Amino acid sequence: LTAFHAPIISMPRVRALVGELAGDDHPVAFMHGMGDAGPNPGMQSLARSVTEAFPNKYSVALSVADGVASILEPLDRQLDEFVRAVRADAKLSRGFDAVGLSQGNIVVRAYIERVNDPPVRRFVSVCGPMEGIGTCPENPLYQLVCPIWKLDKYGANIAFSGYWKDVEDKPQYLEKNVFLPDIANERKAKNATYRANMLKLERYVLVGAEFDTMLVPRQTSHHGFWPWGEAWGAVVPMEQSEGYKGDWIGLRTLHSSGRLERLSYRGDHLRFTSEWWSEKVLPIFA
């Protein structure tokens, strides 16, 4: 399970590259991905890198659905745990910036859309399956999940079922997937609160890995996906998607107002360097 844990950030590299940046005291909360855990070294180092760069900031890697629970717990249950963890931390009570890694981004986005109390100001999504995943990837972590998932792809009582998307059968996806179609506002009845809460974000930063083997298609991290009816077809970029054109969760408005940004790094899923993190992500919290 350690293959796609968050990387351990080098604090000397952080100090050498960014020193101490000027910034406010707005706290930062991290949500880990599948198979990882808030107390793990990588997650702790990411949180500590924020306080290294901004000594006046509070930063925390939340302990939510840690380890195997991140695989076996459905996303609605993980969201409930995330809400409890946020509200139990008095230092987050006036709002916070959020950073998600991999699957954790789906939980954070659901929190923003459905709850957002206390509110998220800036959301940095690192390698998030924001438009779902279209196949069970060939890597050790998913080999633990796929045999269960294949028994009932939308109904399996595991996290992955909540963001699996079969583009060959849109009606079944909209009917049977209980999580992603809801937070993507893909069903006929739109939830205006979801869009309104996303539009409260000051910044929405989408980070993708150029050689991601975990997210298929990898462009899902930038709200891109295969077209309906064409698995493994040419990816429809965010701007050409139905959700963007209809502004279902506010992507078009966030983008046109300069609040939605896309970043990339050369590497596999969550395999970014301390240098890249220090130069590209930490300044977002200034």
Side-chain angles (χ1 to χ4, degrees):
L1 291 180
T2 61
F4 290 102
H5 281 188
I8 297 175
I9 299 299
S10 166
M11 297 308 139
R13 295 301 297 154
V14 170
R15 289 189 290 270
L17 288 165
V18 302
E20 292 185 4
L21 295 171
D24 56 32
D25 61 354
H26 214 69
V28 182
F30 288 79
M31 177 60 197
H32 64 80
M34 181 188 286
D36 208 346
N40 281 347
M43 293 303 299
Q44 290 297 308
S45 77
L46 288 172
R48 191 154 64 89
S49 73
V50 173
T51 55
E52 287 285 339
F54 305 93
N56 60 328
K57 280 187 182 289
Y58 171 71
S59 182
V60 59
L62 296 171
S63 186
V64 172
D66 288 336
V68 174
S70 67
I71 300 172
L72 299 180
E73 284 190 7
L75 292 173
D76 280 313
R77 195 182 309 165
Q78 294 191 34
L79 173 60
D80 290 342
E81 288 188 31
F82 185 86
V83 173
R84 289 196 298 271
V86 166
R87 291 179 174 174
D89 192 331
K91 293 180 180 178
L92 303 179
S93 63
R94 293 185 297 121
F96 59 99
D97 294 336
V99 182
L101 279 81
S102 192
Q103 176 183 282
N105 289 293
I106 295 292
V107 177
V108 175
R109 197 176 110 206
Y111 171 84
I112 295 169
E113 293 184 23
R114 294 178 179 177
V115 183
N116 214 32
D117 180 22
V120 173
R121 183 177 65 165
R122 292 176 284 207
F123 176 24
V124 180
S125 166
V126 184
C127 298
M130 306 312 275
E131 293 295 323
I133 288 183
T135 189
C136 207
E138 292 291 332
N139 62 60
L141 181 55
Y142 273 95
Q143 295 315 303
L144 298 176
V145 178
C146 292
I148 303 172
W149 164 75
K150 287 177 179 178
L151 296 174
D152 186 356
K153 292 181 178 179
Y154 291 121
N157 200 32
I158 58 174
F160 180 52
S161 291
Y163 54 97
W164 154 250
K165 181 187 287 186
D166 180 4
V167 296
E168 300 291 352
D169 194 337
K170 183 177 181 180
Q172 184 184 59
Y173 162 74
L174 292 175
E175 177 188 354
K176 294 190 175 182
N177 188 315
V178 299
F179 197 83
L180 186 61
D182 178 63
I183 66 167
N185 245 349
E186 291 178 287
R187 296 192 173 102
K188 186 174 181 180
K190 307 303 180 190
N191 190 317
T193 299
Y194 292 0
R195 179 178 181 274
N197 281 346
M198 285 291 287
L199 290 179
K200 292 175 183 176
L201 289 171
E202 291 183 10
R203 293 179 77 174
Y204 182 27
V205 182
L206 299 163
V207 176
E210 294 180 12
F211 307 113
D212 202 319
T213 59
M214 191 83 145
L215 303 185
V216 183
R218 64 177 177 79
Q219 294 90 339
T220 184
S221 60
H222 286 168
H223 281 286
F225 211 78
W226 299 321
W228 290 110
E230 296 182 45
W232 303 97
V235 169
V236 178
M238 178 184 72
E239 292 90 337
Q240 295 177 23
S241 68
E242 291 179 279
Y244 181 90
K245 292 176 181 179
D247 213 22
W248 294 344
I249 61 168
L251 293 180
R252 191 183 68 212
T253 299
L254 287 167
H255 194 205
S256 64
S257 63
R259 289 178 285 160
L260 186 153
E261 308 159 54
R262 283 169 288 193
L263 302 175
S264 297
Y265 64 87
R266 293 181 64 80
D268 201 349
H269 192 73
L270 301 183
R271 299 276 70 88
F272 50 85
T273 65
S274 298
E275 288 78 8
W276 179 87
W277 176 261
S278 299
E279 293 174 356
K280 299 297 184 181
V281 178
L282 288 178
I284 292 169
F285 306 117

